[in-house]
Amino acid sequence: MRYENWHKHTKYSNIMTPDSIISIEDIAKRAVELGHKTLSTVEHGYAGNVFEYYDIAKKYGLKLVFGVEFYYVHNRFEKDRTNAHLLIMAKNNEGKRQLTKLISEANLTGFYHKPRIDRELLFSLNPDDVVVTSTCIASPYNLYKDECFIVDCHKYFGENFYLEIHDNTNHKQVSYNEMLLDMHNKY
């Protein structure tokens, strides 16, 4: 099975969530070195650099995968700074259109320190056009301790919903990975 790193961030991720200082081109070069075939646009709460991603993907012969790591709250109209993370990626052009609309709506009606989506916006997406993952320890499941979130996402998105395991030794991440494996086995 070939591994493709779709969940990564560059210097463009939300400046309030500095994950990386690496450039898109550096990621593309490394992807080619590793034999990857794709380059994903996943940044925190931001999709404004998609054209740069497109040009670099084309330059290195990589397929562009459009996605955003959204900030998720229970109700985007309330002053809630929980800002759980939720990764959503387009499977096709219609998915790209829906994600573009979603990030715009997050900025228009959900902005409170960061552009946020909620359950209403998440479940407005066509489950055939996107892939959703539980992300890191900042996931809605972990921050809200809401098992129903995983159940509801799995029921709605079906095979396009994934529990995302992160391979690192941080004790909080290890514990979270174990909770995700329990959820996987349970459902």
Side-chain angles (χ1 to χ4, degrees), residues 9-10 12-20 44 71 85 114:
H9 305 290
T10 70
Y12 288 115
S13 265
N14 191 308
I15 58 172
M16 292 180 284
T17 310
D19 265 348
S20 175
H44 284 279
Y71 295 108
H85 298 184
K114 296 180 180 185

Side-chain angles (χ1 to χ4, degrees), residues 163 165 176-186:
L163 299 175
I165 303 289
Y176 176 61
N177 287 347
E178 290 170 359
M179 290 189 326
L180 287 179
L181 287 171
D182 288 343
M183 291 295 100
H184 168 77
N185 292 332
K186 188 172 181 179

